């Protein structure tokens, strides 16, 4: 499948050490440099650079070979071009009367902050809230290193097939969460442990009031501890993480999304 957008590129290059006025090539390490001139990382010789566009293109080809008709491809790239997540949707379902698109999320990075990962993904169309499956239902592929020679297409294909099969279970987990409950005090304690800025924390508290009928986490305690629908809590968190984290490091955002999903869907 031909991509309609262009991902930032990166290159491998030799490095040298200045010793006694002479440049001596380092045989054990090399540099990963972006087309913007930024040095992303210094890596060992066995590191294999995998470019964002190469990875996404290969994933789309694999999906096409499985007769999965892609509905949408939404890439997100960090400001310096080093980190990338790409959400690819190809199936629609319905949860609580709303259309939700399901697919996979692919991640990659040039600075080793994000490995090559494939995981289940959902998008609530009414508000464009992105949702990721708990880690236990996702598949991690590779980190470019530890003897990894190139990007093994067959290995990637197997991992993608596994995640695609897990999507129906992910949908079932979301539907189940509409009938399951969680105590507000547990949500409050989880929010405190997320280690996020005060502004983002208050944004989540405010958004939760919209989804959970004016429940204010600041007033929650052992005596005032209402029961909340898990799905509503999940949507409050995902709305904020989807729409109000543009200045946040992309790897940090991915980490937070996984933690929220594990807590509310995998717990």
């Amino acid at each position: 499948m031909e991509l309609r957008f262009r991902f930032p590129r990166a290159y491998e290059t030799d490095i040298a050490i200045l010793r006694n006025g002479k440049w001596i090539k380092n045989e054990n390490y090399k540099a990963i440099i972006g087309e913007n001139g930024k040095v992303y990382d210094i890596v060992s010789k066995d590191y294999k650079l995998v470019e964002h566009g190469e990875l996404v293109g290969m994933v789309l080809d694999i999906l096409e070979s499985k007769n999965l008709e892609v509905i949408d491809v939404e890439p997100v790239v960090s400001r310096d071009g080093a980190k990338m997540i790409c959400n690819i949707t190809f199936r629609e379902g319905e949860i609580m009367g709303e259309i939700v698109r399901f697919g996979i999320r692919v991640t990659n990075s040039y600075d080793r902050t994000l490995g090559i990962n494939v995981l289940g993904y959902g998008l609530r169309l009414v508000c464009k809230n992105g949702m990721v499956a708990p880690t236990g239902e996702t598949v991690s592929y590779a980190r470019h290193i530890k003897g990894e020679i190139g990007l093994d297409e067959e290995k990637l294909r197997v991992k993608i097939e596994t995640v695609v099969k897990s999507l129906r279970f992910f949908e079932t987990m979301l539907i189940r969460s509409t009938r399951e409950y969680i105590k507000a005090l547990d949500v409050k304690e989880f929010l405190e442990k997320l280690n996020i800025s005060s502004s983002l924390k208050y944004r989540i508290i405010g958004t939760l009031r919209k989804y959970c009928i004016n429940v204010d986490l600041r007033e929650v305690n052992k005596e005032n501890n209402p029961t909340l629908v898990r799905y509503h809590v999940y949507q409050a968190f995902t709305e904020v993480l989807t729409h109000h984290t543009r200045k946040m490091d992309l790897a940090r955002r991915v980490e937070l999304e996984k933690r929220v999903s594990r807590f509310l869907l995998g717990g």
Side-chain angles (χ1 to χ4, degrees):
M1 180 177 181
E2 184 178 353
L3 297 177
R4 299 178 182 177
F5 38 84
R6 182 182 182 279
F7 286 104
R9 302 200 63 185
Y11 307 89
E12 297 179 354
T13 186
D14 294 328
I15 61 175
I17 300 172
L18 184 61
R19 185 175 296 165
N20 298 325
K22 294 182 179 181
W23 288 102
I24 301 174
K25 180 180 176 181
N26 190 309
E27 300 294 343
N28 298 316
Y29 294 92
K30 59 188 174 184
I32 304 298
I33 299 179
E35 59 187 349
N36 55 8
K38 181 179 178 62
V39 178
Y40 290 130
D41 208 349
I42 304 297
V43 298
S44 63
K45 284 293 186 180
D46 64 353
Y47 178 98
K48 173 60 180 177
L49 172 65
V50 177
E51 294 194 64
H52 301 329
E54 175 190 8
L55 175 62
V56 173
M58 189 177 293
V59 170
L60 291 173
D61 287 343
I62 291 172
L63 293 175
E64 186 176 31
S65 72
K66 296 298 178 183
N67 297 316
L68 291 169
E69 186 175 350
V70 172
I71 300 172
D72 193 24
V73 180
E74 182 187 11
V76 180
V77 180
S78 61
R79 290 184 180 181
D80 65 356
K83 307 173 187 67
M84 180 277 299
I85 61 175
C86 189
N87 302 317
I88 305 170
T89 54
F90 46 81
R91 185 169 69 80
E92 288 189 349
E94 185 175 307
I95 300 178
M96 297 189 74
E98 297 176 347
I99 299 298
V100 177
R101 286 181 176 172
F102 291 93
I104 61 176
R105 166 176 286 181
V106 183
T107 70
N108 188 44
S109 70
Y110 297 145
D111 59 5
R112 291 187 290 175
T113 55
L114 283 173
I116 299 175
N117 286 284
V118 181
L119 62 157
Y121 175 77
L123 179 69
R124 185 176 169 223
L125 289 187
V126 69
C127 54
K128 297 294 183 181
N129 286 1
M131 303 174 285
V132 294
T135 301
E137 306 305 323
T138 68
V139 175
S140 179
Y141 171 56
R143 279 196 171 274
H144 306 243
I145 52 177
K146 294 181 180 177
E148 197 71 37
I149 306 300
L151 185 56
D152 187 328
E153 183 173 357
E154 186 55 37
K155 187 176 181 181
L156 181 62
R157 181 187 300 274
V158 171
K159 299 302 183 183
I160 289 174
E161 288 174 350
T162 302
V163 177
V164 169
K165 289 178 182 177
S166 76
L167 286 178
R168 290 201 178 276
F169 182 63
F170 179 32
E171 182 177 2
T172 299
M173 294 176 74
L174 289 170
I175 294 173
R176 188 177 64 195
S177 72
T178 67
R179 302 188 295 268
E180 293 185 343
Y181 303 92
I182 187 170
K183 286 293 186 178
L185 188 57
D186 292 335
V187 178
K188 181 178 182 177
E189 292 174 350
F190 171 73
L191 182 59
E192 291 297 328
K193 295 176 182 177
L194 272 184
N195 191 28
I196 56 178
S197 66
S198 296
S199 60
L200 195 61
K201 184 184 302 180
Y202 290 131
R203 175 82 68 175
I204 291 173
I205 291 172
T207 306
L208 190 67
R209 294 180 67 181
K210 178 180 72 173
Y211 281 95
C212 297
I213 316 177
N214 294 324
V215 171
D216 192 333
L217 288 186
R218 293 170 296 184
E219 299 174 355
V220 168
N221 51 45
K222 291 183 178 179
E223 289 71 37
N224 176 30
N225 189 16
T227 300
L228 310 177
V229 177
R230 279 185 180 270
Y231 186 71
H232 293 163
V233 177
Y234 188 48
Q235 288 307 321
F237 274 89
T238 56
E239 178 171 319
V240 173
L241 294 179
T242 300
H243 302 291
H244 301 285
T245 54
R246 299 189 185 279
K247 295 182 179 180
M248 181 180 289
D249 177 77
L250 200 56
R252 171 66 170 153
R253 172 181 156 184
V254 169
E255 175 200 353
L256 289 174
E257 289 175 335
K258 287 182 178 180
R259 288 182 63 184
V260 168
S261 186
R262 285 197 298 266
F263 173 66
L264 292 168
L265 297 182

